[in-house]
Amino acid sequence: MKGMVRHHQTDYRWEGVDVHPYKEEGTHFRNVTRQTLWKGEGNLPVEFRYFEVGAGGHSTLERHDHQHAVMVIRGGGEVLVGDTVSPIGMFDMVHIPPMTWHQFRATGEVPLGFLCVVSAERDRPQRPDDAQVAEFVQAAAEFVRR
Ligand code: MN
């Protein structure tokens, strides 16, 4: 196994790495790109990715058995983890546990960029069905005070 040094070029682009629009079934995300910086093998079977959510954009609302370890390295925004929305900014660390609803949002005028480590072997994300959306709405209704 060979080592690697992959240099950052400029503006959150790395040498030899393609920038992909983040595609899944449907269009449940907005303005998201993905760069896979490294695919591990042997005793470190992970993928090391950089995602960028454009200003006003958001990632897919989803859950899955695999976990995410995330660090923000550009801009800021908000993240939903389970039933909690938190502001996030530069160098903040986020852990998404198994089967936990999550979504990243670039709520400000700048993109939200983050590194995301994920297992190389992972299950397919689930999207909320109508019943689960109703649970979100109910939780929001219980939260609201007026
Ligand atoms: Mn996910």
Side-chain angles (χ1 to χ4, degrees):
M1 195 183 300
K2 287 180 67 179
M4 179 198 70
V5 176
R6 194 189 295 288
H7 290 286
H8 178 250
Q9 294 176 312
T10 185
D11 195 31
Y12 296 87
R13 300 289 181 264
W14 285 263
E15 60 187 17
V17 177
D18 294 329
V19 180
H20 297 280
Y22 189 49
K23 288 196 175 114
E24 291 184 4
E25 290 169 33
T27 54
H28 307 294
F29 57 94
R30 188 172 162 218
N31 206 1
V32 182
T33 60
R34 170 178 52 90
Q35 297 179 72
T36 300
L37 305 180
W38 184 67
K39 289 189 177 185
E41 52 187 66
N43 63 4
L44 191 54
V46 298
E47 293 184 14
F48 196 80
R49 301 97 49 89
Y50 174 72
F51 287 91
E52 200 166 279
V53 182
H58 58 82
S59 67
T60 306
L61 173 60
E62 62 179 25
R63 69 178 179 183
H64 36 65
D65 192 53
H66 63 272
Q67 304 179 48
H68 294 309
V70 166
M71 178 172 280
V72 177
I73 62 167
R74 182 176 194 174
E78 293 179 333
V79 64
L80 170 73
V81 182
D83 58 5
T84 304
V85 175
S86 303
I88 48 174
M90 290 292 283
F91 309 120
D92 286 345
M93 172 87 211
V94 179
H95 173 233
I96 310 294
M99 295 310 290
T100 303
W101 294 110
H102 56 284
Q103 186 172 48
F104 291 85
R105 306 169 189 160
T107 49
E109 302 288 307
V110 294
L112 168 64
F114 54 90
L115 300 167
C116 178
V117 178
V118 71
S119 179
E121 290 217 4
R122 54 192 184 271
D123 58 318
R124 176 177 285 270
Q126 300 174 5
R127 298 261 312 134
D129 60 20
D130 289 347
Q132 283 154 342
V133 169
E135 283 182 31
F136 283 124
V137 171
Q138 181 61 34
E142 288 171 8
F143 176 79
V144 163
R145 297 286 179 269
R146 56 182 174 174

